[in-house]
Amino acid sequence: MAKGRAWQRMLSGRRLDLLDPTPVDIEISDIAHGLAFVARWNGQTRGDFAYSVAEHSLLVEEIFALGQPSAPPRDRLAALLHDAPEYVIGDMISPVKAAVGPGYGALDARLAGAIHLRFGLPAELPAELKRRIKRADKVSAWLEAVRIAGFSESEADRLFGRVDRDLAARFEIRLRPPRATREAFVACFEKLSALL
């Protein structure tokens, strides 16, 4: 039986092997473009545009930076890129990830490692940094759930943890066309990269 294709051609012209990704095949333009077109919440959000993973990533970086004001640019870059593998594998909601099993996690880890190396981060982030990014990610998920995905605050509290309401009021959920989100993602990446 013939082996199935395991690579994806990117708009940059790169060919990314999903089973053996290498840093040289990763471009920020491809990541920004892909993430700007991947909908969070499987598209089940209010608004004229899907809430994209790129927009979510920008919000997570903003939340992380506010909560970690002395964090070096490298850590903030890690926060921005926390969901970067989804530019090629999409955003699966947690119930689907659980159903797919450990293969999804392994694929995500391979891609994340190559992405991190491409942009000067360690292939495997330190556990404490991952925990801090995850905290910002959960605040973002809570905000998204309540503001655009139809969850009540009490339901979001149960699923994502209770969020300080004064803190929540400091952040905005942006719904922009993919092009504007892509440009904002690249601009944030370039700003952080220039500080490394």
Side-chain angles (χ1 to χ4, degrees):
M1 180 153 83
K3 185 178 173 185
R5 178 173 66 96
W7 55 269
Q8 169 72 46
R9 182 166 308 283
M10 300 295 157
L11 289 178
S12 66
R14 300 286 189 190
R15 191 169 94 168
L16 182 66
D17 184 335
L18 299 179
L19 299 178
D20 187 23
T22 62
V24 296
D25 291 322
I26 294 166
E27 298 291 342
I28 196 63
S29 60
D30 293 328
I31 292 171
H33 182 82
L35 293 182
F37 282 93
V38 175
R40 294 260 302 159
W41 305 93
N42 278 352
Q44 297 301 305
T45 54
R46 295 184 198 100
D48 293 331
F49 297 100
Y51 187 72
S52 71
V53 175
E55 203 70 76
H56 162 77
S57 298
L58 287 163
L59 181 57
V60 169
E61 190 279 327
E62 183 182 355
I63 294 166
F64 180 86
L66 181 72
Q68 311 286 321
S70 62
R74 187 173 313 283
D75 290 0
R76 290 180 58 192
L77 181 61
L80 178 69
L81 296 173
H82 80 283
D83 278 340
E86 294 178 9
Y87 86 105
V88 69
I89 59 176
D91 180 32
M92 283 195 218
I93 58 174
S94 296
V96 174
K97 288 178 186 175
V100 170
Y104 177 86
L107 175 61
D108 184 80
R110 278 194 303 274
L111 287 165
I115 291 165
H116 291 161
L117 291 174
R118 170 67 173 90
F119 301 117
L121 301 171
E124 177 70 23
L125 298 177
E128 178 54 30
L129 176 57
K130 286 167 86 170
R131 278 192 291 277
R132 289 186 284 138
I133 293 170
K134 190 63 180 172
R135 278 196 299 270
D137 191 33
K138 285 190 171 194
V139 171
S140 179
W142 188 95
L143 292 166
E144 296 163 27
V146 169
R147 294 186 185 166
I148 59 172
F151 289 65
S152 69
E153 288 187 3
S154 61
E155 187 177 21
D157 286 346
R158 281 194 312 277
L159 292 169
F160 307 109
R162 184 159 168 54
V163 171
D164 178 276
R165 298 325 193 241
D166 291 332
L167 174 69
R170 297 179 74 164
F171 300 104
E172 177 186 350
I173 297 289
R174 293 178 187 93
L175 296 171
R176 299 184 269 193
R179 180 179 180 172
T181 304
R182 179 181 66 218
E183 290 169 356
F185 187 94
V186 169
C188 183
F189 171 85
E190 289 175 347
K191 176 186 79 174
L192 293 171
S193 294
L195 299 172
L196 295 179

